[in-house]
Structure formats: C-alpha cells, structure tokens
Amino acid sequence: MAETQVDEKQAAKAERRAARLAKQIGHFAKEHGGAEGQVAYIGQRGARIVLVGEDGGWGDLVAPSHAIALSAVEKAGITLHEDFDGEFAAKVKTGRYEWSRMAGIQLGGPKNG
C-alpha cells in the first residue's frame, strides 16, 4: 500500500512538471507565432525539448525524463519532429551572438563575456 502511494505521488509530480513545461512551451509558441519541437535524450539529466518558432527564434527546455518531455509537448499541442534536421533545422535563425559564440568555442575566436 505504501508503495502505491509513492507511485501515485511520483505520477502526480510528473504530471505537474509536464503541465509547467507545457505552459512554458505555449508561452514560447505565442511569442514566436507558433512553434515546433524535437525531444532528445540527454542521459541521466533527462530530455531536452528544442523549440523553434515560426519566426526562426529558438530555445530549449530540460525535462527530468523523456516521458515527461513527450507529455509536455503533447499537452502544448505543438508539432513534434523525430530529428533536428532538414527543413525543421533550416527554420532556425541565428544572429551575431550565436555565430561569435560558436566561433569562440570552436576556432579560438572572441569570447562572449
């Protein structure tokens, strides 16, 4: 019986976390004219939800598990892609910050900050 209570508490906690993430996804989608996403497993840390707005803006969220990430995306009602490639990846718009940051890390370019 105690084990059932623990399982119910964990399920309720996961549901609340998915609802909070869905709210954040919805806010992102509203700010960017809609959104699409992709969920990637990142090991013990959980899963990364990559969001790309219709305007090319992008961001990400981390969920404690792949199941919670999928639940959040489903609750938010956005299109989910299997992979981050092709037309989906091409929607991402990057600016000077991203390019200088990538160059700074990869090629010994200027550091940001």
Side-chain angles (χ1 to χ4, degrees), residues 27-110:
H27 182 71
F28 177 90
K30 186 176 178 183
E31 282 187 359
H32 296 277
E36 299 176 47
Q38 190 261 339
V39 176
Y41 176 71
I42 55 174
Q44 290 182 351
R45 183 96 188 171
R48 179 179 185 212
I49 306 167
V50 179
L51 302 169
V52 179
E54 288 301 314
D55 64 358
W58 60 278
D60 67 348
L61 298 166
V62 175
S65 73
H66 197 263
I68 290 172
L70 292 176
S71 177
V73 168
E74 184 178 320
K75 287 176 187 305
I78 66 168
T79 300
L80 183 64
H81 294 269
E82 297 248 346
D83 296 304
F84 193 80
D85 61 3
E87 288 182 33
F88 179 52
K91 290 183 177 186
V92 174
K93 292 185 180 168
T94 55
R96 282 182 54 86
Y97 171 79
E98 288 85 3
W99 283 103
S100 68
R101 181 81 177 139
M102 286 186 277
I105 292 170
Q106 299 297 323
L107 305 174

Side-chain angles (χ1 to χ4, degrees), residues 3-48:
E3 197 172 299
T4 303
Q5 289 177 336
V6 170
D7 290 343
E8 288 175 6
K9 284 183 180 181
Q10 288 177 339
K13 184 177 179 180
E15 182 65 26
R16 287 190 304 271
R17 182 65 177 141
R20 281 194 303 272
L21 287 166
K23 187 176 179 179
Q24 290 175 297
I25 293 168
H27 182 71
F28 177 90
K30 186 176 178 183
E31 282 187 359
H32 296 277
E36 299 176 47
Q38 190 261 339
V39 176
Y41 176 71
I42 55 174
Q44 290 182 351
R45 183 96 188 171
R48 179 179 185 212

